[in-house]
Amino acid sequence: AQSVTQPDIHITVSEGASLELRCNYSYGATPYLFWYVQSPGQGLQLLLKYFSGDTLVQGIKGFEAEFKRSQSSFNLRKPSVHWSDAAEYFCAVGALSDMRFGAGTRLTVKP
Amino acid sequence: SAVISQKPSRDICQRGTSLTIQCQVDSQVTMMFWYRQQPGQSLTLIATANQGSEATYESGFVIDKFPISRPNLTFSTLTVSNMSPEDSSIYLCSVRTGLVVGELFFGEGSRLTVL
């Protein structure tokens, strides 16, 4: 069965610093991978997705993620964090009928 | 993409009562799902809402507790029955617009507090 692990429950970075959020997955076939962001009181917004092809994918808001099959990872990165990036981030692995989410990483941005 | 509206956005309910959450999509979609997000936790899939037939429930969720309707390709309801404080959660409607694997689009959620 597919599953997703986000090892970091909470991360704090300074504004302007770089960011990397970790995601590891378990999936029996070619994974379909996603990153979502949830701002307080909001639903989830898709940041980026990987289905196939180039393993480095670009998303909205300056985010990117790299798929590494050998490490079963799909880490999210941003070179310079803005205060508005403070939110909860969810990694997910998809299948035809449903999607499984990681536990989430809460990002705090220090001034 | 799809725009999803959920009602109510939040509610405070008494123990033992039931509440129905509505999900309206601005276009016809193939698949609709209901998720639960308990306080401080991730999303857990409750069920897949099937148009014209009974919903498909995940392990740990049953129809008597979470009856779901989907009368057409743009609308679904989730009822939380006989509520207890443990049902206090955000309930999220989500849709997939294609027949193949693709991203899910989410409503803004319905935040229920059960006293």
Side-chain angles (χ1 to χ4, degrees):
Chain A
Q2 66 264 26
S3 65
V4 179
T5 301
Q6 293 180 248
D8 305 304
I9 297 173
H10 184 205
I11 285 182
T12 299
V13 299
S14 298
E15 190 168 16
S18 64
L19 171 70
E20 182 169 27
L21 302 182
R22 296 183 291 165
C23 172
N24 294 98
Y25 67 89
S26 173
Y27 195 72
T30 301
Y32 301 94
L33 296 159
F34 309 82
W35 275 100
Y36 285 85
V37 60
Q38 185 180 35
S39 298
Q42 302 293 313
L44 277 72
Q45 181 184 21
L46 180 71
L47 285 176
L48 48 78
K49 61 188 177 185
Y50 172 79
F51 287 175
S52 65
D54 193 345
T55 56
L56 184 63
V57 294
Q58 303 296 321
I60 63 172
K61 305 184 180 186
F63 285 92
E64 66 177 27
E66 186 171 13
F67 169 60
K68 293 185 177 180
R69 185 185 297 274
S70 61
Q71 299 177 17
S72 297
S73 69
F74 188 57
N75 294 346
L76 182 71
R77 301 194 294 250
K78 187 170 185 178
S80 178
V81 170
H82 188 263
W83 64 266
S84 60
D85 293 324
E88 188 88 18
Y89 291 80
F90 293 96
C91 183
V93 59
L96 186 59
S97 60
D98 67 79
M99 187 176 294
R100 304 292 173 174
F101 288 82
T105 298
R106 183 160 60 92
L107 174 65
T108 298
V109 181
K110 294 190 304 184
Chain B
S1 66
V3 177
I4 303 165
S5 302
Q6 275 187 243
K7 290 193 295 188
S9 58
R10 59 179 63 231
D11 206 339
I12 299 174
C13 307
Q14 297 298 317
R15 182 196 300 260
T17 63
S18 299
L19 183 78
T20 296
I21 303 167
Q22 298 181 1
C23 176
Q24 179 73 55
V25 189
D26 68 341
S27 59
Q28 293 186 343
V29 295
T30 52
M31 305 191 80
M32 296 180 76
F33 306 94
W34 286 98
Y35 283 85
R36 180 176 72 182
Q37 186 178 23
Q38 293 178 301
Q41 298 191 27
S42 186
L43 283 74
T44 301
L45 180 65
I46 298 172
T48 301
N50 300 309
Q51 194 264 328
S53 64
E54 196 171 282
T56 304
Y57 289 84
E58 295 297 304
S59 176
F61 297 96
V62 295
I63 187 171
D64 290 346
K65 176 66 175 178
F66 297 101
I68 289 171
S69 77
R70 190 177 173 190
N72 56 51
L73 293 176
T74 64
F75 185 78
S76 177
T77 66
L78 168 74
T79 299
V80 186
S81 303
N82 187 25
M83 286 186 285
S84 67
E86 293 71 35
D87 295 319
S88 298
S89 291
I90 300 173
Y91 293 85
L92 292 148
C93 173
S94 70
V95 305
R96 177 173 288 131
T97 55
L99 285 173
V100 295
V101 176
E103 65 263 36
L104 292 179
F105 298 93
F106 285 85
E108 294 203 344
S110 298
R111 182 183 295 270
L112 301 188
T113 301
V114 184
L115 303 178

